[in-house]
Amino acid sequence: MTTTTHGTPALVAYDDAVRRYDPVIGIEVHVELGTRTKMFCAAEQSFGAEPNTQTTPVSLGLPGALPVVNGTAVEYAIRIGLALNCQIAETCRFARKNYFYPDVPKNFQTSQYDEPIAFEGFLDVELEDGTVHRVEIERAHMEEDAGKNTHVGGSAGRIHGAEYSLVDYNRAGVPLVEIVTKPITGAGERAPEVARAYVQALRDIFRVLDVSEARMERGNVRADVNLSLRPTPESPLGTRTETKNVNSFRSVERAVRYEVSRQAAILDAGGTVIQETRHFHEEDGSTSPGRVKSDAEDYRYFPEPDLVPVAPSREWVEEIRATLPELPQARRRRLHDEWGFADAEMRDVVNAGALDLIEATVAAGATPAAARKWWMGELARRAKQDEVELADLAITPAQIGELQQLVDSGRINDKIARQVLDGVLAGEGDPEAVVAARGLEVVSDDGPLLEAIDAALAAQPDIVEKVRGGNQGPVGAIIGAVMKATRGQADAKRVRELVLERIG
Ligand SMILES: Nc1ncnc2c1ncn2[C@@H]1O[C@H](COP(=O)(O)OP(=O)(O)OP(=O)(O)O)[C@@H](O)[C@H]1O
Ligand SMILES: [Mg+2]
Ligand SMILES: [Mg+2]
């Protein structure tokens, strides 16, 4: 049997695998809360600080140090729970999850176990083609992050072969909320897409709730991707693997795909999938074994004796519910109605990441249709050409609004508008400034127009004759000559009027 570098049978092609097996996914998402201080102490937490400068005796796990719960973190956890349609516990406790690893200075992580702050929710996830898949949420609980190990020297990629390891406790004790789905069934071959869309929807929610910067590339949001296969949708659940710390949307999708192909190969060969954690490899989208998964009892969970239970009053919970911002899905529906875009147009806008840009452009005075035309047309084309995101183009919604107003007021035409765009993108300033500096304003004064018209009429007497004879067809040639003479800056409609007037 051929095997891959990670010692598994050769992969089964994805399409083949999902024809013969039913994938079930489970996703654990950890989000770092953007509170000023840590979960159980007053140490500040900010990204990129010098290692080990943001610690207190509590986050270093020094003997005798006593934790205190961060009230803002509890509020953020409730916000997340409510946004995910969860029930909020009337009272819940923290628990110690015991394990030994240098990044956990206390030798346990303070987490929640059988009493999460939020439970029994759901999130409707929209796929790129508009299909909606409901993901059931089992629970959302509070916990603290671990520190960060850096392994130095030794053979590359071999953690335990490193010469030495460094540990940074700045991240130890940073507040986290872990959101755990129930097993997600019914996704079939679209399991990778559902997994990705779910994590993306969560990220968007964290941002509007303002509970986290939710930057994947900084590790603010990390997903553990569980996957199992079963012969049919009616079969009992198979054995899952858990691919840890996947930190981009694309990687979530790839991790699911890879595990489907890998597990199908094992099952095809009559083998059994081992319940284990796995590492994801960005370079080739593969996963490799981590550790055989501890059962919960190996963690010797027990209630945290140093912290009182958290008992959010119903009044407080309702107050938080009442101040929840509009969530992304509701906002998309509202804008869809307000803007009057077709379903497919709206989906394209969302998928292109143009929703915020169009909204801001409309706020700057453009009609929704005009805003969409710019961002999904000319600007999308330029973004693609430069291989950048729309939002990273060197032009703002306010500038597009101004540009569109120049067009609407007849001071420039569509063709000139594209030249103005060039100028703005080249850093020549706002549209008004570019128009002035490049002398692009439409010639609206009739004086210079008449001059150009008379010259054109004189140059083409035969056409003048035809038009006088009642055939207006060839008048286009005169208009074209005038437009050329004014370098495209004339208002074509006005030119036509004047030409006909002149010919009489
Ligand atoms: N057979 C299965 N196939 C796919 N997913 C599963 C299966 N069984 C459970 N899951 C999902 O795997 C995830 C397990 O997460 P959970 O936090 O409950 O446990 P854990 O991974 O064992 O614990 P830890 O938080 O210590 O990693 C959940 O999303 C759950 O729905
Ligand atoms: Mg897990
Ligand atoms: Mg978990």
Side-chain angles (χ1 to χ4, degrees):
M1 187 192 300
T2 38
T3 59
T4 64
T5 44
H6 303 313
T8 50
L11 304 177
V12 173
Y14 180 79
D15 293 340
D16 180 27
V18 290
R19 258 196 300 277
R20 293 182 293 110
Y21 296 100
D22 181 46
V24 175
I25 38 186
I27 302 184
E28 303 158 73
V29 165
H30 293 87
V31 55
E32 286 182 349
L33 303 181
T35 51
R36 191 176 56 81
T37 57
K38 292 187 178 178
M39 187 72 222
F40 301 112
C41 69
E44 306 236 340
Q45 58 131 336
S46 54
F47 185 80
E50 276 290 296
N52 296 307
T53 55
Q54 300 184 319
T55 59
T56 63
V58 170
S59 54
L60 290 174
L62 299 185
L66 287 173
V68 177
V69 174
N70 181 333
T72 307
V74 175
E75 183 187 330
Y76 286 5
I78 294 174
R79 263 198 233 174
I80 291 170
L82 291 174
L84 299 177
N85 306 291
C86 288
Q87 319 237 26
I88 305 300
E90 303 215 356
T91 174
C92 61
R93 283 182 299 182
F94 285 95
R96 290 189 181 183
K97 180 179 182 179
N98 298 278
Y99 65 99
F100 178 82
Y101 202 67
D103 61 3
V104 179
K106 300 182 292 188
N107 292 341
F108 62 84
Q109 179 191 28
T110 308
S111 182
Q112 292 192 297
Y113 179 50
D114 48 355
E115 300 183 26
I117 185 147
F119 52 94
E120 299 284 318
F122 65 87
L123 181 63
D124 285 331
V125 173
E126 224 172 287
L127 306 185
E128 288 203 350
D129 69 354
T131 334
V132 174
H133 196 98
R134 175 160 294 191
V135 173
E136 308 277 350
I137 309 286
E138 182 179 302
R139 63 176 198 274
H141 67 253
M142 298 180 283
E143 60 184 31
E144 59 180 339
D145 213 342
K148 193 173 161 66
N149 276 318
T150 306
H151 306 286
V152 185
S155 41
R158 280 198 53 211
I159 290 176
H160 296 291
E163 260 167 55
Y164 60 93
S165 292
L166 300 169
V167 62
D168 174 10
Y169 288 123
N170 285 354
R171 203 176 68 184
V174 165
L176 294 180
V177 166
E178 176 178 342
I179 298 147
V180 183
T181 68
K182 292 195 174 148
I184 304 171
T185 58
E189 59 177 9
R190 305 189 74 177
E193 208 187 328
V194 169
R196 174 199 176 112
Y198 168 71
V199 178
Q200 205 158 354
L202 279 185
R203 193 278 313 262
D204 292 347
I205 288 176
F206 300 147
R207 290 209 173 149
V208 294
L209 291 178
D210 203 17
V211 296
S212 172
E213 281 190 53
R215 290 169 67 157
M216 304 287 289
E217 74 283 6
R218 286 191 178 176
N220 295 149
V221 179
R222 309 189 287 270
D224 297 344
V225 179
N226 295 264
L227 183 107
S228 67
L229 295 180
R230 51 184 179 173
T232 70
E234 290 73 40
S235 318
L237 296 183
T239 303
R240 69 178 160 118
T241 59
E242 179 182 355
T243 304
K244 296 293 251 181
N245 290 326
V246 184
N247 64 0
S248 76
F249 302 134
R250 179 161 171 265
S251 301
V252 168
E253 188 165 344
R254 292 170 87 203
V256 172
R257 283 185 84 89
Y258 186 87
E259 277 300 291
V260 166
S261 293
R262 189 187 70 87
Q263 293 185 16
I266 294 172
L267 297 174
D268 276 358
T272 50
V273 173
I274 305 167
Q275 182 169 335
E276 62 186 357
T277 67
R278 298 185 67 87
H279 304 291
F280 180 72
H281 304 283
E282 208 66 61
E283 324 80 69
D284 61 355
S286 71
T287 67
S288 63
R291 61 188 159 91
V292 171
K293 185 71 187 191
S294 304
D295 283 328
E297 53 262 35
D298 293 335
Y299 288 125
R300 297 185 298 113
Y301 276 104
F302 64 86
E304 168 60 63
D306 288 342
L307 288 166
V308 293
V310 173
S313 75
R314 296 302 92 180
E315 293 74 33
W316 189 37
V317 172
E318 288 318 308
E319 223 173 87
I320 296 172
R321 194 195 303 278
T323 56
L324 284 186
E326 181 182 40
L327 295 177
Q329 206 179 30
R331 172 170 171 244
R332 283 200 295 274
R333 294 208 178 113
R334 175 175 59 79
L335 292 176
H336 176 258
D337 293 346
E338 282 178 19
W339 292 347
F341 292 175
D343 287 354
E345 285 174 345
M346 192 66 182
R347 261 199 314 277
D348 288 347
V349 164
V350 170
N351 294 337
L355 202 68
D356 291 350
L357 296 167
I358 291 179
E359 192 181 33
T361 307
V362 170
T367 62
R372 190 180 75 82
K373 186 196 73 185
W374 283 116
W375 289 106
M376 299 302 291
E378 191 63 23
L379 291 166
R381 198 178 61 70
R382 292 178 193 231
K384 189 165 172 222
Q385 190 182 304
D386 298 353
E387 294 178 4
V388 296
E389 298 291 319
L390 271 183
D392 296 334
L393 285 173
I395 194 160
T396 64
Q399 288 171 323
I400 294 296
E402 188 180 318
L403 182 69
Q404 184 58 37
Q405 271 168 12
L406 286 170
V407 175
D408 291 343
S409 65
R411 289 179 53 203
I412 60 173
N413 57 31
D414 270 341
K415 192 160 143 255
I416 298 290
R418 277 193 282 276
Q419 292 180 39
V420 178
L421 211 60
D422 289 333
V424 176
L425 287 167
E428 294 168 25
D430 288 337
E432 282 277 6
V434 173
V435 167
R438 292 195 177 194
L440 292 175
E441 189 137 3
V442 163
V443 181
S444 53
D445 181 2
D446 287 350
L449 275 187
L450 287 173
E451 241 170 71
I453 287 170
D454 288 342
L457 293 177
Q460 309 194 62
D462 47 327
I463 291 184
V464 174
E465 275 314 306
K466 281 184 193 155
V467 177
R468 283 220 173 94
N471 176 10
Q472 289 208 352
V475 80
I478 303 280
I479 298 171
V482 175
M483 294 304 285
K484 198 168 165 205
T486 54
R487 295 186 334 227
Q489 281 170 249
D491 176 357
K493 225 169 76 205
R494 182 72 187 137
V495 171
R496 185 183 185 85
E497 280 166 18
L498 290 173
V499 167
L500 291 176
E501 235 176 77
R502 231 28 184 191
I503 296 179

